[in-house]
Amino acid sequence: MSNALYPGSFDPVTYGHIDIIKRAARIFDTLTVGVLNNNVKSPLFSVEERVKMLQTACAGIPNVSISSWQGLLAEYARQAEVDVIIRGLRAVTDFEYELQMAQTNKKLNPKVETVFLTASLEYAYLSSSVVREVAAFGGDIGIFVPDFVAREIYLKLRPEGVSGRAEDKDTDNEQ
Ligand code: PNS
């Protein structure tokens, strides 16, 4: 049985993350999506909000569960008894940081391997920070995140006027 962990900030979850989750869930028996509860950064969404959005986004994938953690990833991987850490690679600019992180985690927890999944072409440019920035300036983020996530972002960033597209739909679990 191979158990994998996909860690990240997920502030918020994007279609790029969801794509990696679906693909990793096809490869491994179980996949835990781990949301970093980081007191140093000041995220847009609380860890509880990020977990909830991921739970909604992943509701249709039976072998995926959502969790959160504080502290070192290598230690969390040990406690969660996972064999593999999944990370998505978009461009070569991701690689240096990801390689360093994978090697550090391997030193700290020799039992865990990092497996990289390359971002699908249609999401290769996409990041949570870009989504937050576009939303902050009132742009349409419906092409980057599910509508229920877009709605939550606009409520945080632009509570005076939620974008039409996000407002139109009640529930949206598309991935
Ligand atoms: O979505 P992100 O922000 O790219 O995810 C980065 C994350 C959360 C995986 C990384 O920052 C992390 O693992 N932080 C926990 C602290 C840690 O273990 N750092 C040492 C790894 S070099």
Side-chain angles (χ1 to χ4, degrees), residues 38-52:
N38 188 345
N39 294 328
V40 183
K41 277 189 189 175
S42 46
L44 179 62
F45 290 101
S46 70
V47 70
E48 292 80 13
E49 290 169 326
R50 284 178 277 153
V51 165
K52 206 169 161 216

mmCIF file with all atom_site columns, all heavy atoms in Angstrom, residues 38-52:
data_model
loop_
_atom_site.group_PDB
_atom_site.id
_atom_site.type_symbol
_atom_site.label_atom_id
_atom_site.label_alt_id
_atom_site.label_comp_id
_atom_site.label_asym_id
_atom_site.label_entity_id
_atom_site.label_seq_id
_atom_site.pdbx_PDB_ins_code
_atom_site.Cartn_x
_atom_site.Cartn_y
_atom_site.Cartn_z
_atom_site.occupancy
_atom_site.B_iso_or_equiv
_atom_site.pdbx_formal_charge
_atom_site.auth_seq_id
_atom_site.auth_comp_id
_atom_site.auth_asym_id
_atom_site.auth_atom_id
_atom_site.pdbx_PDB_model_num
ATOM 1   N N   . ASN A 1 38 ? 0.731   27.894 8.988  1.00 0.00 ? 38 ASN A N   1
ATOM 2   C CA  . ASN A 1 38 ? 1.965   28.661 9.150  1.00 0.00 ? 38 ASN A CA  1
ATOM 3   C C   . ASN A 1 38 ? 1.674   29.990 9.836  1.00 0.00 ? 38 ASN A C   1
ATOM 4   O O   . ASN A 1 38 ? 0.990   30.839 9.293  1.00 0.00 ? 38 ASN A O   1
ATOM 5   C CB  . ASN A 1 38 ? 2.577   28.911 7.760  1.00 0.00 ? 38 ASN A CB  1
ATOM 6   C CG  . ASN A 1 38 ? 3.945   29.522 7.862  1.00 0.00 ? 38 ASN A CG  1
ATOM 7   O OD1 . ASN A 1 38 ? 4.328   30.008 8.914  1.00 0.00 ? 38 ASN A OD1 1
ATOM 8   N ND2 . ASN A 1 38 ? 4.678   29.495 6.779  1.00 0.00 ? 38 ASN A ND2 1
ATOM 9   N N   . ASN A 1 39 ? 2.212   30.123 11.047 1.00 0.00 ? 39 ASN A N   1
ATOM 10  C CA  . ASN A 1 39 ? 1.958   31.356 11.800 1.00 0.00 ? 39 ASN A CA  1
ATOM 11  C C   . ASN A 1 39 ? 2.781   32.534 11.294 1.00 0.00 ? 39 ASN A C   1
ATOM 12  O O   . ASN A 1 39 ? 2.459   33.674 11.559 1.00 0.00 ? 39 ASN A O   1
ATOM 13  C CB  . ASN A 1 39 ? 2.296   31.138 13.286 1.00 0.00 ? 39 ASN A CB  1
ATOM 14  C CG  . ASN A 1 39 ? 1.351   30.134 13.900 1.00 0.00 ? 39 ASN A CG  1
ATOM 15  O OD1 . ASN A 1 39 ? 0.201   30.048 13.506 1.00 0.00 ? 39 ASN A OD1 1
ATOM 16  N ND2 . ASN A 1 39 ? 1.842   29.364 14.852 1.00 0.00 ? 39 ASN A ND2 1
ATOM 17  N N   . VAL A 1 40 ? 3.851   32.238 10.564 1.00 0.00 ? 40 VAL A N   1
ATOM 18  C CA  . VAL A 1 40 ? 4.751   33.314 10.132 1.00 0.00 ? 40 VAL A CA  1
ATOM 19  C C   . VAL A 1 40 ? 4.130   34.095 8.969  1.00 0.00 ? 40 VAL A C   1
ATOM 20  O O   . VAL A 1 40 ? 4.008   35.307 9.011  1.00 0.00 ? 40 VAL A O   1
ATOM 21  C CB  . VAL A 1 40 ? 6.134   32.754 9.721  1.00 0.00 ? 40 VAL A CB  1
ATOM 22  C CG1 . VAL A 1 40 ? 7.068   33.882 9.339  1.00 0.00 ? 40 VAL A CG1 1
ATOM 23  C CG2 . VAL A 1 40 ? 6.726   31.945 10.873 1.00 0.00 ? 40 VAL A CG2 1
ATOM 24  N N   . LYS A 1 41 ? 3.712   33.362 7.924  1.00 0.00 ? 41 LYS A N   1
ATOM 25  C CA  . LYS A 1 41 ? 3.040   34.014 6.797  1.00 0.00 ? 41 LYS A CA  1
ATOM 26  C C   . LYS A 1 41 ? 1.678   34.515 7.266  1.00 0.00 ? 41 LYS A C   1
ATOM 27  O O   . LYS A 1 41 ? 1.110   33.981 8.205  1.00 0.00 ? 41 LYS A O   1
ATOM 28  C CB  . LYS A 1 41 ? 2.802   32.995 5.674  1.00 0.00 ? 41 LYS A CB  1
ATOM 29  C CG  . LYS A 1 41 ? 3.982   32.773 4.753  1.00 0.00 ? 41 LYS A CG  1
ATOM 30  C CD  . LYS A 1 41 ? 3.496   31.921 3.569  1.00 0.00 ? 41 LYS A CD  1
ATOM 31  C CE  . LYS A 1 41 ? 4.612   31.452 2.679  1.00 0.00 ? 41 LYS A CE  1
ATOM 32  N NZ  . LYS A 1 41 ? 4.099   30.551 1.626  1.00 0.00 ? 41 LYS A NZ  1
ATOM 33  N N   . SER A 1 42 ? 1.150   35.523 6.607  1.00 0.00 ? 42 SER A N   1
ATOM 34  C CA  . SER A 1 42 ? -0.228  35.898 6.938  1.00 0.00 ? 42 SER A CA  1
ATOM 35  C C   . SER A 1 42 ? -1.097  35.567 5.736  1.00 0.00 ? 42 SER A C   1
ATOM 36  O O   . SER A 1 42 ? -1.207  36.360 4.792  1.00 0.00 ? 42 SER A O   1
ATOM 37  C CB  . SER A 1 42 ? -0.339  37.369 7.321  1.00 0.00 ? 42 SER A CB  1
ATOM 38  O OG  . SER A 1 42 ? 0.378   38.137 6.403  1.00 0.00 ? 42 SER A OG  1
ATOM 39  N N   . PRO A 1 43 ? -1.682  34.385 5.760  1.00 0.00 ? 43 PRO A N   1
ATOM 40  C CA  . PRO A 1 43 ? -2.460  33.927 4.601  1.00 0.00 ? 43 PRO A CA  1
ATOM 41  C C   . PRO A 1 43 ? -3.771  34.698 4.458  1.00 0.00 ? 43 PRO A C   1
ATOM 42  O O   . PRO A 1 43 ? -4.253  35.295 5.417  1.00 0.00 ? 43 PRO A O   1
ATOM 43  C CB  . PRO A 1 43 ? -2.715  32.454 4.920  1.00 0.00 ? 43 PRO A CB  1
ATOM 44  C CG  . PRO A 1 43 ? -2.601  32.342 6.391  1.00 0.00 ? 43 PRO A CG  1
ATOM 45  C CD  . PRO A 1 43 ? -1.676  33.425 6.854  1.00 0.00 ? 43 PRO A CD  1
ATOM 46  N N   . LEU A 1 44 ? -4.322  34.639 3.259  1.00 0.00 ? 44 LEU A N   1
ATOM 47  C CA  . LEU A 1 44 ? -5.637  35.248 3.032  1.00 0.00 ? 44 LEU A CA  1
ATOM 48  C C   . LEU A 1 44 ? -6.704  34.460 3.779  1.00 0.00 ? 44 LEU A C   1
ATOM 49  O O   . LEU A 1 44 ? -7.588  35.023 4.398  1.00 0.00 ? 44 LEU A O   1
ATOM 50  C CB  . LEU A 1 44 ? -5.937  35.264 1.526  1.00 0.00 ? 44 LEU A CB  1
ATOM 51  C CG  . LEU A 1 44 ? -7.275  35.853 1.092  1.00 0.00 ? 44 LEU A CG  1
ATOM 52  C CD1 . LEU A 1 44 ? -7.389  37.323 1.476  1.00 0.00 ? 44 LEU A CD1 1
ATOM 53  C CD2 . LEU A 1 44 ? -7.453  35.692 -0.428 1.00 0.00 ? 44 LEU A CD2 1
ATOM 54  N N   . PHE A 1 45 ? -6.585  33.132 3.726  1.00 0.00 ? 45 PHE A N   1
ATOM 55  C CA  . PHE A 1 45 ? -7.579  32.270 4.364  1.00 0.00 ? 45 PHE A CA  1
ATOM 56  C C   . PHE A 1 45 ? -6.987  31.564 5.578  1.00 0.00 ? 45 PHE A C   1
ATOM 57  O O   . PHE A 1 45 ? -5.806  31.168 5.557  1.00 0.00 ? 45 PHE A O   1
ATOM 58  C CB  . PHE A 1 45 ? -8.078  31.206 3.372  1.00 0.00 ? 45 PHE A CB  1
ATOM 59  C CG  . PHE A 1 45 ? -8.920  31.761 2.266  1.00 0.00 ? 45 PHE A CG  1
ATOM 60  C CD1 . PHE A 1 45 ? -8.378  31.981 1.002  1.00 0.00 ? 45 PHE A CD1 1
ATOM 61  C CD2 . PHE A 1 45 ? -10.242 32.090 2.484  1.00 0.00 ? 45 PHE A CD2 1
ATOM 62  C CE1 . PHE A 1 45 ? -9.133  32.521 -0.016 1.00 0.00 ? 45 PHE A CE1 1
ATOM 63  C CE2 . PHE A 1 45 ? -11.022 32.624 1.460  1.00 0.00 ? 45 PHE A CE2 1
ATOM 64  C CZ  . PHE A 1 45 ? -10.465 32.835 0.215  1.00 0.00 ? 45 PHE A CZ  1
ATOM 65  N N   . SER A 1 46 ? -7.798  31.370 6.597  1.00 0.00 ? 46 SER A N   1
ATOM 66  C CA  . SER A 1 46 ? -7.360  30.609 7.769  1.00 0.00 ? 46 SER A CA  1
ATOM 67  C C   . SER A 1 46 ? -7.144  29.154 7.343  1.00 0.00 ? 46 SER A C   1
ATOM 68  O O   . SER A 1 46 ? -7.643  28.722 6.289  1.00 0.00 ? 46 SER A O   1
ATOM 69  C CB  . SER A 1 46 ? -8.423  30.662 8.865  1.00 0.00 ? 46 SER A CB  1
ATOM 70  O OG  . SER A 1 46 ? -9.541  29.902 8.465  1.00 0.00 ? 46 SER A OG  1
ATOM 71  N N   . VAL A 1 47 ? -6.431  28.422 8.158  1.00 0.00 ? 47 VAL A N   1
ATOM 72  C CA  . VAL A 1 47 ? -6.187  27.020 7.811  1.00 0.00 ? 47 VAL A CA  1
ATOM 73  C C   . VAL A 1 47 ? -7.510  26.252 7.730  1.00 0.00 ? 47 VAL A C   1
ATOM 74  O O   . VAL A 1 47 ? -7.691  25.403 6.853  1.00 0.00 ? 47 VAL A O   1
ATOM 75  C CB  . VAL A 1 47 ? -5.162  26.378 8.773  1.00 0.00 ? 47 VAL A CB  1
ATOM 76  C CG1 . VAL A 1 47 ? -5.736  26.196 10.163 1.00 0.00 ? 47 VAL A CG1 1
ATOM 77  C CG2 . VAL A 1 47 ? -4.652  25.057 8.225  1.00 0.00 ? 47 VAL A CG2 1
ATOM 78  N N   . GLU A 1 48 ? -8.441  26.590 8.609  1.00 0.00 ? 48 GLU A N   1
ATOM 79  C CA  . GLU A 1 48 ? -9.755  25.914 8.592  1.00 0.00 ? 48 GLU A CA  1
ATOM 80  C C   . GLU A 1 48 ? -10.487 26.196 7.264  1.00 0.00 ? 48 GLU A C   1
ATOM 81  O O   . GLU A 1 48 ? -11.102 25.303 6.679  1.00 0.00 ? 48 GLU A O   1
ATOM 82  C CB  . GLU A 1 48 ? -10.636 26.384 9.763  1.00 0.00 ? 48 GLU A CB  1
ATOM 83  C CG  . GLU A 1 48 ? -10.155 25.968 11.142 1.00 0.00 ? 48 GLU A CG  1
ATOM 84  C CD  . GLU A 1 48 ? -9.028  26.854 11.677 1.00 0.00 ? 48 GLU A CD  1
ATOM 85  O OE1 . GLU A 1 48 ? -8.790  27.945 11.095 1.00 0.00 ? 48 GLU A OE1 1
ATOM 86  O OE2 . GLU A 1 48 ? -8.380  26.441 12.664 1.00 0.00 ? 48 GLU A OE2 1
ATOM 87  N N   . GLU A 1 49 ? -10.414 27.436 6.831  1.00 0.00 ? 49 GLU A N   1
ATOM 88  C CA  . GLU A 1 49 ? -11.085 27.795 5.564  1.00 0.00 ? 49 GLU A CA  1
ATOM 89  C C   . GLU A 1 49 ? -10.440 27.067 4.385  1.00 0.00 ? 49 GLU A C   1
ATOM 90  O O   . GLU A 1 49 ? -11.124 26.599 3.477  1.00 0.00 ? 49 GLU A O   1
ATOM 91  C CB  . GLU A 1 49 ? -11.015 29.310 5.343  1.00 0.00 ? 49 GLU A CB  1
ATOM 92  C CG  . GLU A 1 49 ? -11.873 30.104 6.294  1.00 0.00 ? 49 GLU A CG  1
ATOM 93  C CD  . GLU A 1 49 ? -11.609 31.608 6.241  1.00 0.00 ? 49 GLU A CD  1
ATOM 94  O OE1 . GLU A 1 49 ? -10.447 32.033 6.023  1.00 0.00 ? 49 GLU A OE1 1
ATOM 95  O OE2 . GLU A 1 49 ? -12.562 32.371 6.465  1.00 0.00 ? 49 GLU A OE2 1
ATOM 96  N N   . ARG A 1 50 ? -9.107  26.985 4.411  1.00 0.00 ? 50 ARG A N   1
ATOM 97  C CA  . ARG A 1 50 ? -8.400  26.323 3.303  1.00 0.00 ? 50 ARG A CA  1
ATOM 98  C C   . ARG A 1 50 ? -8.724  24.831 3.276  1.00 0.00 ? 50 ARG A C   1
ATOM 99  O O   . ARG A 1 50 ? -8.936  24.244 2.210  1.00 0.00 ? 50 ARG A O   1
ATOM 100 C CB  . ARG A 1 50 ? -6.896  26.571 3.430  1.00 0.00 ? 50 ARG A CB  1
ATOM 101 C CG  . ARG A 1 50 ? -6.505  27.987 3.007  1.00 0.00 ? 50 ARG A CG  1
ATOM 102 C CD  . ARG A 1 50 ? -5.041  28.237 3.170  1.00 0.00 ? 50 ARG A CD  1
ATOM 103 N NE  . ARG A 1 50 ? -4.687  28.613 4.526  1.00 0.00 ? 50 ARG A NE  1
ATOM 104 C CZ  . ARG A 1 50 ? -3.496  28.396 5.084  1.00 0.00 ? 50 ARG A CZ  1
ATOM 105 N NH1 . ARG A 1 50 ? -2.553  27.787 4.409  1.00 0.00 ? 50 ARG A NH1 1
ATOM 106 N NH2 . ARG A 1 50 ? -3.248  28.781 6.308  1.00 0.00 ? 50 ARG A NH2 1
ATOM 107 N N   . VAL A 1 51 ? -8.785  24.224 4.478  1.00 0.00 ? 51 VAL A N   1
ATOM 108 C CA  . VAL A 1 51 ? -9.129  22.799 4.560  1.00 0.00 ? 51 VAL A CA  1
ATOM 109 C C   . VAL A 1 51 ? -10.546 22.583 4.022  1.00 0.00 ? 51 VAL A C   1
ATOM 110 O O   . VAL A 1 51 ? -10.794 21.672 3.222  1.00 0.00 ? 51 VAL A O   1
ATOM 111 C CB  . VAL A 1 51 ? -9.002  22.285 6.019  1.00 0.00 ? 51 VAL A CB  1
ATOM 112 C CG1 . VAL A 1 51 ? -9.696  20.939 6.187  1.00 0.00 ? 51 VAL A CG1 1
ATOM 113 C CG2 . VAL A 1 51 ? -7.533  22.185 6.419  1.00 0.00 ? 51 VAL A CG2 1
ATOM 114 N N   . LYS A 1 52 ? -11.460 23.449 4.413  1.00 0.00 ? 52 LYS A N   1
ATOM 115 C CA  . LYS A 1 52 ? -12.862 23.298 3.996  1.00 0.00 ? 52 LYS A CA  1
ATOM 116 C C   . LYS A 1 52 ? -12.994 23.404 2.468  1.00 0.00 ? 52 LYS A C   1
ATOM 117 O O   . LYS A 1 52 ? -13.710 22.621 1.834  1.00 0.00 ? 52 LYS A O   1
ATOM 118 C CB  . LYS A 1 52 ? -13.706 24.375 4.683  1.00 0.00 ? 52 LYS A CB  1
ATOM 119 C CG  . LYS A 1 52 ? -15.141 23.986 4.855  1.00 0.00 ? 52 LYS A CG  1
ATOM 120 C CD  . LYS A 1 52 ? -15.875 24.929 5.766  1.00 0.00 ? 52 LYS A CD  1
ATOM 121 C CE  . LYS A 1 52 ? -17.357 24.753 5.509  1.00 0.00 ? 52 LYS A CE  1
ATOM 122 N NZ  . LYS A 1 52 ? -18.132 25.965 5.602  1.00 0.00 ? 52 LYS A NZ  1
#
